[in-house]
Amino acid sequence: MEEGIDRMNPVFLFSGQGSQKPGMGADLMGVPEVASSFECASDVLGYDLAELVATASPEKLNDTRYAQPALCVLSVGIARALMARGVVPAAVLGFSLGQVSALAVSGMLSEEETYRFVKARAEFMAEAASAHAGAMSALLKADDEAVRAVCESCAQGDVLVPANYNSPGQIVISGMPDAVARAEEAWVAEGKRFARLATSGAFHSPLMADAAEKLAEYLAGVEFSEPAIPLICNVDASPLSAACAREHLAEHLTHPVRFQQSVEALEEQGHTTFWEVGFGGVLENLVKRIDRKAVRACVQDRASFDAALESLAPDAS
């Protein structure tokens, strides 16, 4: 792919749950497209989402029911604003929750339907997390074979599975709390480190089966359009089609997030520029771990928004 074209058409990456923070995006509310997305979402959700993000305590915003809509809407709003100013993404890729944002930006769902979807998804996942206690932990210096081995040896009849393939050397496991703790202990015994994640449940594991079943029922009544912008699916690191959307979006709750494989697939197609569109900067850092040569940015506030647009100006090349 020609470098100039790739620079003008970055891959948009959409943040996942865990990146939320009270006040995020506050200085972008003066951008019309961002404000419009929050207004649209507030109508769908039944409460003022912009006010909630601005005033909520960390504990409230960390609630899955609020965290998922807040992150999704901010990502969609920023993406809409960038696109309105001439930035057309070559493809879109979300991390877990971020895949919902990608549905709106790719054109597979309208904004209103996207926000109805994220509301239902968040409620189903929160219910499942409440009913089935779970935990998640990032294993460092990890590879697929070693992680699968530790999950098999430490499950002891409990649920314990690889959940997120983040980057080389970083794989997240998910499952019942005792099983995750046993895996962490075994990992340390091998001289390696881990980082327990601040999640409310064992996402992307069989413990989300109830949520996946309810989501499948919900999606049966949702009509998807073919994407105008390619959307790389977390489940199989391949482009998502309207025909496969319902199945893959439901499976997404119980299957691993293949983020590393998705970025690598995009690079194989010639994409070299990745912009995380949303709050946190987590995905930008993961891309750096996957390929240090990739051009990266995180567009999450007014300063980074203006800087991103400035970087595409003719005299910036």
Side-chain angles (χ1 to χ4, degrees):
M1 179 175 291
E2 191 175 327
E3 182 180 353
I5 295 175
D6 185 54
R7 187 175 69 87
M8 292 297 294
N9 303 98
V11 173
F12 281 5
L13 309 174
F14 300 112
S15 311
Q17 188 173 343
S19 297
Q20 67 275 357
K21 183 180 180 181
M24 62 182 184
D27 61 355
L28 285 167
M29 293 303 171
V31 177
E33 293 80 9
V34 176
S36 176
S37 290
F38 272 85
E39 290 168 6
C40 177
S42 296
D43 290 341
V44 172
L45 298 170
Y47 58 86
D48 189 329
L49 183 60
E51 181 180 0
L52 181 138
V53 173
T55 63
S57 65
E59 292 74 21
K60 183 169 184 176
L61 192 58
N62 287 343
D63 186 321
T64 296
R65 295 175 178 85
Y66 298 117
Q68 291 197 14
L71 287 164
C72 173
V73 175
L74 180 60
S75 287
V76 172
I78 296 173
R80 295 285 192 218
L82 290 170
M83 293 167 73
R85 288 155 183 78
V87 185
V88 180
V92 291
L93 168 63
F95 187 104
S96 189
L97 162 69
Q99 189 160 266
V100 181
S101 306
L103 292 171
V105 177
S106 70
M108 294 190 75
L109 290 179
S110 68
E111 276 201 63
E112 293 83 354
E113 191 61 71
T114 297
Y115 302 149
R116 283 193 287 269
F117 174 37
V118 78
K119 180 176 185 289
R121 183 183 188 273
E123 289 174 352
F124 298 153
M125 292 178 70
E127 290 168 2
S130 179
H132 306 286
M136 301 180 74
S137 186
L139 303 185
L140 308 180
K141 294 186 178 179
D143 61 73
D144 192 17
E145 183 178 350
V147 170
R148 289 188 179 279
V150 80
C151 285
E152 290 175 4
S153 65
C154 295
Q156 299 178 16
D158 290 341
V159 171
L160 183 64
V161 295
N164 300 344
Y165 292 88
N166 288 352
S167 64
Q170 186 180 124
I171 299 175
V172 174
I173 57 172
S174 182
M176 294 176 177
D178 288 348
V180 171
R182 288 192 295 269
E184 291 171 336
E185 185 177 350
W187 203 249
V188 170
E190 294 181 11
K192 301 175 183 178
R193 296 182 297 116
F194 68 88
R196 180 66 71 96
L197 305 188
T199 61
S200 59
F203 302 134
H204 302 289
S205 84
L207 293 177
M208 287 290 113
D210 292 348
E213 183 177 348
K214 292 178 180 178
L215 194 63
E217 293 175 0
Y218 172 87
L219 290 171
V222 176
E223 292 296 327
F224 292 88
S225 300
E226 291 298 339
I229 299 168
L231 188 163
I232 306 303
C233 180
N234 281 172
V235 174
D236 58 5
S238 298
L240 185 65
S241 67
C244 297
R246 295 182 187 87
E247 178 183 0
H248 281 192
L249 290 169
E251 285 184 349
H252 193 219
L253 302 191
T254 57
H255 286 60
V257 173
R258 300 187 180 279
F259 182 77
Q260 177 184 338
Q261 295 89 333
S262 298
V263 171
E264 290 171 345
L266 285 162
E267 289 196 318
E268 287 176 4
Q269 297 171 18
H271 300 292
T272 61
T273 303
F274 298 84
W275 287 9
E276 181 173 354
V277 179
F279 199 77
V282 172
L283 304 186
E284 178 193 8
N285 287 327
L286 291 182
V287 170
K288 181 179 180 181
R289 291 174 178 270
I290 295 167
D291 181 4
R292 290 186 175 275
K293 296 179 182 178
V295 179
R296 310 174 310 278
C298 179
V299 186
Q300 63 179 340
D301 52 23
R302 190 56 191 254
S304 56
F305 179 79
D306 291 342
L309 293 176
E310 185 177 346
S311 73
L312 300 183
D315 58 358
S317 57

